[in-house]
Each structure stands twice: as C-alpha cells, then as structure tokens.
Amino acid sequence: MKQILAIALAAMLAVPAVAVPKQRPAYRDESRPIEERVEDALSRMTLQEKINMIHAQSKFSSAGVPRLGIPELWCTDGPHGIRPEVFWDEWDQAGWTNDSCVAFPALTCLAASWNPDVAMLYGTSIGEEARFRGKDVLLGPGVNIYRTPLNGRNFEYMGEDPYLASRMVVPYVQGVQDRGVAACVKHYALNNNEINRHTTNVILDDRTLYEIYLPAFKAAVQEGKAWSIMGAYNLYRDEHLCHNSRMLNDILKGEWGFDGAVVSDWGGVHDTRQAIANGMDLEFGSWTNGLSEGTRNAYDNYYLAKPYFDLVASGEVGTDELDDKVRRVLRLIFRTAMAYDKGDGSMCSEEHYAAARRIGNEGIVLLRNEGDVLPIKTDAGRKRILVVGENALKMMTVGGGSSSLKVQREISPYDGICAAAKGVADVDFARGYVGDVTGEYNGVTTGQNLADSRGAEELIAEAVAKAKDADYVVFVGGLNKSAHQDCEDSDRAGLELPYGQDAVIEALAAANPNLVVVNISGNAVAMPWVKKVPAIVQAWFLGSEAGNSIADVLFGRVNPSGKLPMTFPVALADNGAHATGSYPGVKRDGSDIVDLEYKEGILVGYRWHDTKKIKPLFAFGHGLSYTDFSYGKVSADATEMAADGSINISVPVTNTGSVAGAEVVQLYISDPKCSVMRPAKELKGFEKVYLNPGQTKTVTFTVKPDALSYFDAEKHEWVAEPGQFVASVGAASDDIKGTFKFKLK
C-alpha cells in the first residue's frame, strides 16, 4: 500500500510533459500567402463541399465549409447604402430593428462631383457600414454607361463617359475594400437599359466595346483590384453575360488577369454546362421563392449545385473548372470573412452623415442662374419663401429596386430649407402636383401620407396665389423611384417630366420672377420652360442628407461645384441611341430574344452631340458657380511627343469672383486627321481645383500616348497614329477656354 501511495505521490509531483501543439493548418494561418492558404483549403475539401461553395444557400449568402471552419459569405445590396435584412428564403423584411442605415447619394451624384477624393470617402464610409453589419460583399458600384436617358437604372451608374467613370470607380472600390469588404462591380457588361433586360442581345463592334463599355470595368479590376464582379442579365453574342465565354474567360480573366470571383446577378444563370465552362463562379437567385423543386432544398437545384455534382460524379465533366471556381471563392472569403484585421466598422455615425452631406454638396449641379437669383439672399430683411412640389416632401430612399433602403433618417428638401431659413425667412408650402403617393418596397414603408384629392387646376391655382406674395419660389420636382421613372426593371416612357409638372412650372414662372427649379432625378429631363426659369438646380437622389445638401447650395453655405456626368439633350431624338432608331431593339421572330444594335457606335453622349454638331440643353461637364473663373493661356512643355514619352499640358485658372469656390478643369483630346472616324473630342483628364477669391493655380495634365489611341479591332490593340493632335481645356464639353496643338512622332 505504501508503495502504491509513493508512486502516486511521485506522479503528482512530477513535472508534467509539455504538450506539443498541432501545427496550424495553412488555410487558417493569416500570416501565410493567400495563394498558399487557398491551395491548402482546396486540398482538404470533398466534392460536395466544393459544390456547396459555388452557389447560394439563402437569398444573400453562400455556404462555407463548416468542417474546416471556413465561414459563410454574406452579400448585401448597395451601392448607395446597406440593404435591410430579409428572411432566409424571401424578399420580405425580416423585421429587425437595428438594420437601418445611412443612405449616401446615388452614384450619378458621386460622378457629378468629379472628385476622386470624394469617391474614396464614399467607399470607406459605405464599407464601414457593411462591415458593421457583418457583410462580406457589397453589390456595387455600378459603372454601366449612360447610353440613353430612358434607362431606369442610370441613377445607379457613373454617367456617359468611360474616362470619368474609370477615375471615379477606382477609389470607391479601394475605399470599400480597405474596410475588409469586397466591392462587386456591376453589371458586367452592356447592361444599358432595363426594358427587356433578361432577353436583350446586344450587338456592337469591338471598337465600341473596348473604347466605351469596358474601360470602367477594366479600371476597377486592374487599378482598383476589385475582388468580385457581377455578371449582367442581358446577352452578348447570343450568350447570357453571366456565362459568356468571351466576356468572362477571354477578356475579364484572360486579358485583364482578374483573380476574383464572378458573381451572378440574381437569376442570371440559365444553363449548367455554360456556367461550368464560361466563367461563372458563384450563383445567386435562380429559384427566388425558395420552395421550388419539391422535397429537396431549392438551393440544391441551382445550376451550379446538384446538376453540377451529378455531371462530375458521372464523369461527364472534370473538376478543373470546379477547382478554379472554388479557388476564386476561397480567395474572396480569405480577403473578407476570414480577414482578421478588418475592424468592426460603424453604422449610422455622425461621420457617415457628414460624408453623405459632403458628397451631396459636391455633386449638386447649378445648371442656370440668370440674374444671380441664387444664392437666396437673406441680408436685407426677413424673406418669404414658397416651396412647391411633391418631391419637396417625398422620401426618395425607399423604392427604385435593389438599391431601396431602410434609413435611420432622411431630411426632406422642405425640412432642409426650413432649417436653413430659421430666423431669416418664413417658409410656406404648396403641393403643386400629385405624383406617386405610395411609399413601399419589399416591406419597407416610408410612413408618409401624401394623398391629396384636389385636381391639377386647383393645385396650380393655390401655388400661383402663394407665389405672387413670395420673395422666392423654390419648385422641387423631377422624377421619383416609381416604375417607369428612375427604377430597376423598367425604363422611362419619355424624356418629359411626369404628373403635369411642366404646367406648374410655367404658371409659377409667370407669377414670380425669382423662381428656382430643383430637379431631383438620376436622369436628364426635358425642360421646355428652360428660358423662362432663371435658376435651375440638378439635385439627384441625395440620400439621408438630401434636404441639408440642397439647402446648403440654395442659401450659399456651399458654393456649387458639381458638373454634369451626362448630356441633357433638348429632345430625345438628339440622343444617339434614339436618333439611329436602335433603342429598344427588335424582337426576333418566334423568339423572346430582342436584338439591340448599338448603331451609334462610339458616339455616345457628348461624342454624338459634338461630332454631329447638335446643341444640347446642358452639355456634359456643365456646371455653374457662385463665383467666376478665368482661364489663362493653354501651354505645354513641348510641341512634339515621342511614342514612348509624354507631354504636359498646363493652364492657369483664377477665381475672379468674390467667394471661394471649386472649378473642374477638363481636358479633351482631338485627332483631326486619322485613318478611322474619331469623335470631335474625348475627355482624357480633369482636376477639381479649389480657389479663394483672387487666387490662381496652374493645373497640369500629363498626356501619354494611350490618351491619343483608338482601339484597332483587326489588330486587337490600341493604336495612336502619328500626326497632329489638339488638346482642348475648358469648363464643359461645349465651353472650351483654350487649345494647344502638338504632334505625336
């Protein structure tokens, strides 16, 4: 017995052996190179686990690998704010009370700022909100080209010019991804109208494709290093763009070296074998009700789910494509969900509201200001201001499609004007017109009761009577996010304003000379009354801080500096897509397919107007200020440029007015004598310069041969032909201040 106790005591007193920890798997070691982690994880996965990773498991998530501790991947709609939570298998609201967000201005407004620093602010701010909500992929930004003013989704994009969109999308992507959230740039590509969006087959030449419709996507991939890209609904070369071999395999992953994941638009996949072979990586939304196909889980019946598994299991297809897809999804997860240094993010912070307000302030465009009606002057006694129009009250963050939001707050234009006028003016309101009094999308409601049973004549009579006694009349109208206006899944019926607004504006212009029209839209609109209205402001959809931003500009707290990112035509027939008769395409006999040929080619937007010498209502790049700017002589550091060199084009700009302000100096390049047709001029540089009264700054643009090039489809390369070029510097595409001619050797 003593011997047993002694042995037990010795065992208790003995120094325990040190347990040697198991080596951490490479895929879970964030210090290892990401490609090593990807390959290690891939080598440990079963066929079923691989299949599970490349299709959705719910409306907005895809499965990870629970056995290996690889988490799910969660997506959220953007690109203007973080979408509220929905049920697992439904679009309806999940009823959370902590999923409100800050709504940032629509991307048309961001593009109108012409300020890459503001784009970075936008990206970091929305990235922080996505991070706080546990989202890994932000479904945005959108960079489809503004081809026609009827496209219902133009408000989500960055205008008509590929250079401007390229320069603005890169910092947005970088800002989002700096916060550990993947940007999913959309909709790749040629998704330039909402009508027939699932059945439209786009027909265009390679030069148009490469010069107009691909540059912004290429910049997002190669400069912004986007981690994901979303395929489009439409077709190109009779293949849907969510599994289009040329666009995804040859161009995106081949020519551009994209190493991220291609995500389908929701319901954009149509065929298992095409999705396998043609570059689709992660499928979402093919069965939207979550209950189809009987007893099996609906997500198991996605094209890249059980049908793919069965093809591999039967030996009909190999696993090379599958492994490539899984690598890309793993890479996406390691960059986001498994990034350990991404931070916690923040939601609805005052910093984010301030960011939204600044973006709005910089993007609002002063289109017209005859007689210096603006800013509203409050230094000579108390003023009477009449606000007219439904859009002065209507919430604009709800509706419009997938970018619809549930906001913590939204300042209306009327409330913003009232707050700014407090103590200096009395503000009254007249309805003016009745538009869409509803306010609901996917279960999010505005809670507003905008019903009004009065007829158009009575509403106009009331507004006119009040306008006659006002010092200033501010009409707030335009479009909204209802169907056939600025809205996903439908295009506009025409260029004109809806709800009889033109008659209201005409009556107000006759009643009061100090009329300001604030147009809220993501699209150009017709303005038959333009010469009768002294002041016109393009205000876009401005999100949570809409009213404050509008009031900041109207009262002169902010000097407007936005410039149009698209051309406002006088009439729809002045737009190239409509002048050529190509929009909205021709339906094939015996088929649902609509063939849409881009007959205007590279002459999109101002390229069409300038080359065809068609005067616009307001030109691309147009925007006024409360101060004046003068441009000095345009000069350069050389008169000839070598093919492997560059030339610096400079111009001094002076604020000759009495208030501080910002001017967007724009550089356009022309090739007067070329073996192919070239536009009259093309944007190749811009800089937003801030100047105090009397201050002068010299703006310098470095021009390289690629800015002189066109895409030669036969050679499949960019070509700059030797000869003379013209550098035009100005304040808008129709407001050129000076030129400089130089030669390319």
Side-chain angles (χ1 to χ4, degrees):
M1 187 66 178
K2 289 180 179 180
Q3 186 178 11
I4 294 173
L5 290 173
I7 293 172
L9 181 62
M12 292 172 64
L13 295 175
V15 177
V18 177
V20 179
K22 293 182 179 180
Q23 187 174 5
R24 194 176 191 188
Y27 75 91
R28 293 190 62 82
D29 186 351
E30 63 273 19
S31 67
R32 291 176 179 261
I34 195 167
E35 295 308 312
E36 184 179 332
R37 298 175 67 194
V38 167
E39 293 304 321
D40 183 62
L42 183 66
S43 70
R44 299 169 186 267
M45 294 170 62
T46 66
L47 173 61
Q48 186 62 65
E49 288 170 338
K50 292 178 181 179
I51 292 291
N52 290 347
M53 287 199 74
I54 61 171
H55 66 83
Q57 64 168 359
S58 75
K59 277 287 173 285
F60 284 99
S61 71
S62 63
V65 187
R67 181 179 63 86
L68 299 179
I70 297 174
E72 303 163 325
L73 190 74
W74 281 90
C75 303
T76 180
D77 268 319
H80 309 139
I82 309 307
R83 185 173 181 155
E85 302 297 332
V86 298
F87 287 117
W88 188 264
D89 280 327
E90 302 173 24
W91 291 112
D92 290 337
Q93 298 302 295
W96 289 23
T97 58
N98 60 347
D99 59 346
S100 298
C101 70
V102 172
F104 297 93
L107 292 186
T108 43
C109 177
L110 175 61
S113 76
W114 291 61
N115 189 342
D117 291 340
V118 169
M120 176 64 79
L121 173 66
Y122 198 129
T124 55
S125 300
I126 197 171
E128 287 169 356
E129 298 236 336
R131 180 75 276 133
F132 184 84
R133 286 269 299 282
K135 308 303 180 184
D136 305 304
V137 181
L138 176 72
L139 303 175
V143 290
N144 293 101
I145 291 296
Y146 185 111
R147 177 176 179 257
T148 163
L150 299 191
N151 181 12
R153 214 164 182 179
N154 276 335
F155 72 98
E156 290 189 36
Y157 301 142
M158 296 190 186
E160 71 187 24
D161 183 75
Y163 182 84
L164 174 62
S166 297
R167 302 282 52 84
M168 297 301 289
V169 72
V170 169
Y172 182 112
V173 169
Q174 293 171 333
V176 171
Q177 296 186 168
D178 281 348
R179 296 303 184 262
V181 176
C184 187
V185 186
K186 61 185 188 182
H187 302 86
Y188 180 72
L190 305 173
N191 189 183
N192 307 112
N193 50 271
E194 289 296 290
I195 187 173
N196 304 318
R197 64 177 179 168
H198 294 279
T199 55
T200 291
N201 177 55
V202 175
I203 301 168
L204 80 169
D205 60 87
D206 266 11
R207 184 181 173 197
T208 301
L209 177 68
Y210 276 81
E211 289 191 20
I212 302 297
Y213 295 99
L214 292 185
F217 288 103
K218 182 180 180 181
V221 168
Q222 293 193 329
E223 298 176 55
K225 307 297 182 185
W227 294 337
S228 61
I229 236 175
M230 181 186 288
Y233 280 134
N234 50 300
L235 301 90
Y236 163 67
R237 293 188 173 183
D238 284 327
E239 283 185 351
H240 280 93
L241 282 155
C242 279
H243 35 75
N244 187 290
S245 184
R246 184 171 192 231
M247 295 294 282
L248 299 180
N249 288 336
D250 298 345
I251 298 175
L252 177 64
K253 296 178 178 179
E255 294 178 18
W256 299 350
F258 177 62
D259 70 352
V262 176
V263 178
S264 78
D265 205 341
W266 269 232
V269 177
H270 301 269
D271 183 89
T272 296
R273 290 182 182 271
Q274 288 186 32
I276 292 171
N278 293 354
M280 173 49 55
D281 299 316
L282 183 53
E283 177 189 5
F284 276 97
S286 292
W287 297 103
T288 54
N289 65 5
L291 300 173
S292 296
E293 297 296 304
T295 58
R296 291 189 60 84
N297 184 300
Y299 302 101
D300 291 342
N301 291 284
Y302 274 30
Y303 295 99
L304 290 181
K306 189 175 184 297
Y308 194 1
F309 181 95
D310 290 344
L311 287 173
V312 175
S314 67
E316 292 186 61
V317 300
T319 58
D320 287 349
E321 296 95 343
L322 175 60
D323 285 349
D324 181 67
K325 298 176 195 300
V326 175
R327 283 188 183 96
R328 291 173 181 275
V329 176
L330 283 170
R331 201 175 285 129
L332 184 58
I333 290 174
F334 290 150
R335 286 167 167 167
T336 59
M338 290 184 71
Y340 300 102
D341 59 350
K342 58 181 176 284
D344 297 325
S346 57
M347 196 81 183
C348 296
S349 67
E350 288 308 308
E351 290 81 4
H352 291 170
Y353 282 112
R357 189 167 181 170
R358 181 187 171 190
I359 297 163
N361 288 351
E362 291 223 18
I364 290 174
V365 182
L366 180 61
L367 296 177
R368 181 174 166 88
N369 193 23
E370 294 298 310
D372 293 331
V373 170
L374 289 176
I376 293 173
K377 299 164 184 65
T378 58
D379 56 350
R382 196 173 185 89
K383 302 296 183 181
R384 292 166 297 174
I385 300 172
L386 174 67
V387 179
V388 182
E390 181 175 285
N391 279 6
L393 303 178
K394 185 177 176 64
M395 286 183 66
M396 294 293 184
T397 54
V398 176
S402 62
S403 63
S404 179
L405 299 170
K406 174 183 172 182
V407 295
Q408 185 185 54
R409 71 173 188 244
E410 178 179 345
I411 308 300
S412 72
Y414 177 74
D415 286 341
I417 291 169
C418 287
K422 188 176 181 180
V424 296
D426 297 315
V427 182
D428 196 3
F429 177 77
R431 182 64 177 266
Y433 70 95
V434 177
D436 183 356
V437 300
T438 63
E440 186 274 337
Y441 188 83
N442 280 151
V444 175
T445 60
T446 64
Q448 291 182 307
N449 181 7
L450 297 176
D452 195 318
S453 61
R454 291 177 292 172
E457 291 185 4
E458 185 179 356
L459 291 168
I460 292 176
E462 178 198 44
V464 168
K466 291 186 176 184
K468 290 179 178 179
D469 293 329
D471 295 301
Y472 290 92
V473 178
V474 180
F475 176 85
V476 186
L479 307 180
N480 55 41
K481 293 185 177 179
S482 303
H484 304 293
Q485 295 198 42
D486 284 317
C487 185
E488 181 182 359
D489 203 23
S490 65
D491 280 355
R492 297 168 63 194
L495 190 64
E496 64 277 358
L497 288 173
Y499 313 127
Q501 293 178 71
D502 288 338
V504 183
I505 295 170
E506 293 270 6
L508 292 174
N512 193 309
N514 290 332
L515 173 62
V516 180
V517 170
V518 178
N519 181 62
I520 295 177
S521 72
N523 261 308
V525 300
M527 298 181 182
W529 33 261
V530 64
K531 293 183 179 180
K532 300 177 184 178
V533 176
I536 305 172
V537 174
Q538 177 61 33
W540 319 109
F541 298 110
L542 297 176
S544 290
E545 290 291 300
N548 287 333
S549 288
I550 289 171
D552 284 344
V553 169
L554 294 182
F555 285 85
R557 295 176 177 177
V558 166
N559 192 346
S561 61
K563 301 277 189 172
L564 288 179
M566 78 284 285
T567 304
F568 275 43
V570 174
L572 197 57
D574 293 343
N575 171 271
H578 297 271
T580 58
S582 65
Y583 174 92
V586 179
K587 188 174 181 180
R588 292 183 191 173
D589 292 339
S591 171
D592 291 332
I593 299 298
V594 176
D595 287 317
L596 175 55
E597 184 178 0
Y598 286 11
K599 295 179 181 179
E600 74 281 4
I602 61 172
L603 299 182
V604 176
Y606 70 91
R607 289 169 168 81
W608 175 269
H609 281 261
D610 290 350
T611 305
K612 300 293 183 179
K613 295 181 171 55
I614 300 170
K615 185 175 176 60
L617 180 67
F618 294 109
F620 172 81
H622 172 77
L624 304 178
S625 171
Y626 294 151
T627 192
D628 296 307
F629 300 99
S630 68
Y631 286 65
K633 185 178 180 181
V634 179
S635 62
D637 59 358
T639 58
E640 291 188 342
M641 181 169 67
D644 59 350
S646 62
I647 188 171
N648 292 316
I649 307 291
S650 299
V651 62
V653 181
T654 303
N655 182 343
T656 59
S658 59
V659 295
E663 171 72 325
V664 178
V665 184
Q666 302 161 39
L667 170 71
Y668 297 86
I669 297 293
S670 304
D671 186 359
K673 294 182 180 180
C674 185
S675 64
V676 299
M677 186 277 293
R678 301 292 299 268
K681 58 179 174 292
E682 297 177 280
L683 182 72
K684 294 298 180 181
F686 63 88
E687 183 175 334
K688 196 166 196 174
V689 56
Y690 293 83
L691 297 169
N692 290 316
Q695 185 179 11
T696 299
K697 288 185 180 179
T698 297
V699 177
T700 299
F701 300 101
T702 299
V703 179
K704 298 181 179 179
D706 60 354
L708 315 180
S709 302
Y710 67 89
F711 187 79
D712 188 319
E714 290 187 7
K715 296 179 180 179
H716 198 75
E717 64 183 28
W718 291 88
V719 174
E721 293 182 349
Q724 188 176 79
F725 290 82
V726 180
S728 300
V729 178
S733 61
D734 69 344
D735 186 11
I736 300 303
K737 305 295 187 179
T739 62
F740 186 88
K741 296 179 180 179
F742 63 95
K743 290 183 179 180
L744 174 67
K745 291 182 180 179

